[in-house]
Amino acid sequence: MEKTSKLLIVAATEKEVSLLQKNMKYVKTIDTYLTSYKRNDHEIDFLITDPGIPATVYNLTKIIYKYSYDLILNVGICGSFAEDLAIGDSVSVILDEFADLGITYPKNEFNTLFEEEFIKTDKKPFKNGKLYTPTQKF
């Protein structure tokens, strides 16, 4: 007998996953933010966190503390400073930086927490002040 896969799909809003959910069988609502579906031999939970990094970190941490998953995917619309990306483009993030992780001084001078030496640039999980996917070689 084949093992059932347990997946978690994380998104900020229902709109970002509604088309996926339409192709699955609704099972139950676990709590305000977490809903279970089934597709073939896969159990798929959807976690709707609300927009923003703090909401995602808080709600995702609560869920992975309570439940175990074989795979977790964070999907949806996201912002980017890359002007060559159009709305609707699909991307796989291989490195990330936090544009707002720093201090703004008078005259709009901005220094990152790495530049201010509050965080060492190579302290895990960072490498040169950036976050890389675990499979990315750098």
Side-chain angles (χ1 to χ4, degrees), residues 68-130:
S68 179
Y69 295 95
D70 297 310
L71 177 68
I72 300 173
L73 297 172
N74 190 8
V75 302
I77 298 169
C78 66
S80 173
F81 292 107
E83 293 180 6
D84 59 328
L85 292 176
I87 293 174
D89 283 355
S90 293
V91 299
S92 176
V93 178
I94 58 171
L95 78 95
D96 200 0
E97 295 179 77
F98 295 107
D100 57 352
L101 193 60
I103 301 168
T104 302
Y105 291 100
K107 299 183 182 176
N108 290 325
E109 179 188 342
F110 179 84
N111 287 348
T112 70
L113 294 183
F114 301 107
E115 292 168 326
E116 293 288 332
E117 298 182 352
F118 284 107
I119 303 173
K120 293 181 179 170
T121 59
D122 290 325
K123 184 176 181 180
K124 285 189 176 195
F126 299 100
K127 180 71 177 166
N128 296 321
K130 297 172 178 57

Side-chain angles (χ1 to χ4, degrees), residues 2 9 12 24 33 44-45 56 62-63 65 67 75 89 91-92 95 104 106 108 114 118 125 134:
E2 194 172 305
I9 297 178
M24 299 178 187
Y33 293 98
I44 303 160
D45 289 351
T56 301
K62 280 185 3 182
I63 294 306
Y65 182 77
Y67 305 103
V75 302
D89 283 355
V91 299
S92 176
L95 78 95
T104 302
N108 290 325
F114 301 107
F118 284 107

Side-chain angles (χ1 to χ4, degrees), residues 19-65:
L19 290 176
L20 284 172
Q21 291 172 327
K22 284 182 182 180
N23 293 305
M24 299 178 187
K25 181 182 180 228
Y26 170 81
V27 175
K28 66 181 176 179
T29 298
I30 299 169
D31 70 27
T32 306
Y33 293 98
L34 191 65
T35 308
S36 261
Y37 286 78
K38 191 160 180 72
R39 169 108 182 178
N40 301 326
D41 290 331
H42 306 291
E43 294 176 24
I44 303 160
D45 289 351
F46 285 88
L47 175 63
I48 307 304
T49 63
D50 291 332
I53 293 170
T56 301
V57 169
Y58 175 77
N59 287 299
L60 180 57
T61 301
K62 280 185 3 182
I63 294 306
I64 61 175
Y65 182 77

